[in-house]
Structures are given as C-alpha cells and as structure tokens.
C-alpha cells in the first residue's frame, strides 16, 4: 500500500483493489488465528504470513493487535448481515431465513472462539460490540418482513424474540460437534415462526 492509499483509508476514501484484497485476506487470517485454541500465542507476523502479505502491510491497515481483532469481528458481523439481500434474491423468504440462521450459528461459534481476543480489545478501551444488536435486528427484520409479505411466516414476530431464540440455540448447541442438534433446534424454531394464529398482532417493544 502506498502513502496515498494509507491517507485514503484514514480519510474514508475507497482503497485500491489490491489494497482491498490484502485487507480482506488479513481479516480472514485473523479470524482463523484468533478463533484457534492457542489464540494467546498468535503473532501478527504469523497472521501476515498466513494472509500472504508482509508485516508492514498488516500494520498499515491495522496499527495495533486490538485494531485487527476488532476489525475482524466487525467484518464477520458485516458478512453475516450483508448476506441477507443475496439470500432473498436466491431463495424464497422462509428458506432464506432458515439458511441465514445456520450462518448465524457459525458466526456465534466464531465469536466465542475470539472471546479472549475480544476481551483484550474491551480492556484496551475498544467496543467491538457497539451497534451489533441493531445490525442483527435489522437483518432479522428484513428476513421476517419478506417472509410475512409472502405469507410463509407469521406476521406478529418481533425480531428481538428471534435474536434471543437464535442466541439460545447457539449457546446450547453451538459447538461444531453439536451441529446436527443445532439444525434440529432451528427447524423447531422455524415451525413456530410458520404457525399462523387466528389473530396476530405484532408485539411492541417494552
């Protein structure tokens, strides 16, 4: 990355295509590294090597370890929620919702794997979780709205209730070895979302 590109990133201007690719590779490598069992032993040099870039490139994008961890987590959240329009374009809304639920469980597994790294970010004064809930509720609301309009899911569902249910599934059966159980629980949740009561009113938040 050139000095001009570094200035562009700081000012919020678009990065060059090669700089964007380097950044994406670094974020993917960081998620793999910080989700591993030996997260405390991870070095930034190892992450740069895994991403196929030099350590100088890593530091130009992410000046500190905490900045890299926070960006990697936020990228996973953005990837999860950003998938909604594509899923709705490819699948019927109820199927898109169910597919997204599987991805949510994957996201939560990654988040738990990065827990100690994220705690270090918070200890350093960062807040990787700011706006996470609102972003997730927006994604869920879009899916539910599309499915309700299509008549395939009930129309009285609060996105916050679905988020709480998905979080419960992830806490109960979020490990990779529990994925079959997680799928069964998500199928049960979908059955509840498809049930059409005789009279349905959308619950208002407290």
């Amino acid at each position: 990355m050139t000095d001009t590109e570094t200035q562009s990133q700081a000012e919020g201007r678009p990065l060059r295509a090669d700089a964007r690719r380097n950044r994406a590779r670094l974020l993917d490598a960081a998620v793999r590294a910080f989700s591993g069992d030996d997260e405390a032993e991870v070095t930034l040099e190892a992450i740069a090597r895994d991403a196929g870039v030099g350590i100088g490139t890593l530091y130009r994008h992410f000046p500190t370890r905490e900045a890299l961890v926070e960006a990697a987590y936020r990228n996973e959240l953005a990837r999860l929620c950003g998938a909604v329009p594509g899923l709705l374009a490819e699948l019927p809304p109820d199927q898109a919702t169910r597919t997204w639920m599987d991805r949510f469980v994957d996201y939560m597994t990654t988040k738990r794997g990065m827990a100690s790294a994220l705690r270090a970010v918070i200890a350093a004064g960062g807040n990787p979780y700011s706006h996470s809930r609102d972003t997730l509720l927006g994604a869920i609301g879009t899916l539910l709205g599309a499915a309700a309009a299509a008549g395939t899911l009930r129309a009285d569902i609060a996105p916050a209730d679905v988020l709480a249910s998905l979080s419960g599934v992830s806490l109960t059966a979020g490990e990779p070895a529990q994925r079959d159980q997680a799928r069964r629980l998500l199928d049960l949740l979908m059955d509840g979302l498809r049930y059409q009561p005789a009279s349905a009113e959308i619950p208002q938040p407290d």
Side-chain angles (χ1 to χ4, degrees):
M1 182 189 295
T2 66
D3 291 340
T4 300
E5 287 170 331
T6 302
Q7 182 179 359
S8 295
Q9 186 174 0
E11 295 175 353
R13 297 202 302 267
L15 296 174
R16 273 182 8 186
D18 58 341
R20 290 197 302 272
R21 287 192 295 270
N22 286 341
R23 188 177 191 277
R25 286 197 293 264
L26 283 165
L27 292 174
D28 288 342
V31 169
R32 289 191 296 270
F34 292 124
S35 298
D37 294 334
D38 56 349
E39 176 275 328
E41 304 301 321
V42 171
T43 65
L44 297 184
E45 289 79 4
I47 291 174
R49 188 165 55 249
D50 184 28
V53 303
I55 188 63
T57 298
L58 185 151
Y59 278 120
R60 282 193 291 270
H61 284 282
F62 309 106
T64 66
R65 183 185 182 92
E66 290 75 21
L68 176 58
V69 171
E70 183 165 357
Y73 166 71
R74 289 183 182 277
N75 190 61
E76 291 301 293
L77 177 65
R79 182 178 292 172
L80 171 69
C81 295
V84 168
L87 289 174
L88 288 173
E90 296 170 6
L91 299 168
D94 58 333
Q95 293 181 30
T97 301
R98 179 62 183 81
T99 299
W100 189 86
M101 288 180 175
D102 282 325
R103 297 188 184 189
F104 178 90
V105 173
D106 291 338
Y107 155 78
M108 289 295 287
T109 299
T110 298
K111 180 180 173 182
R112 277 201 306 278
M114 296 179 66
S116 60
L118 289 167
R119 283 195 295 270
V121 172
I122 294 170
N127 184 8
Y129 302 129
S130 64
H131 308 301
S132 293
R133 178 178 171 82
D134 288 343
T135 303
L136 288 167
L137 289 176
I140 293 170
T142 298
L143 290 164
L144 295 178
T152 51
L153 294 183
R154 53 193 290 178
D156 63 335
I157 305 165
D161 291 343
V162 175
L163 179 58
S165 300
L166 290 173
S167 299
V169 171
S170 298
L171 288 171
T172 302
E175 297 298 326
Q178 298 174 298
R179 200 46 53 93
D180 285 344
Q181 183 184 22
R183 282 192 286 267
R184 292 195 300 271
L185 293 172
L186 293 175
D187 287 342
L188 287 173
L189 175 57
M190 285 297 298
D191 286 344
L193 299 182
R194 290 190 179 99
Y195 169 73
Q196 299 289 343
S199 177
E201 294 183 0
I202 299 176
Q204 299 299 313
D206 296 333

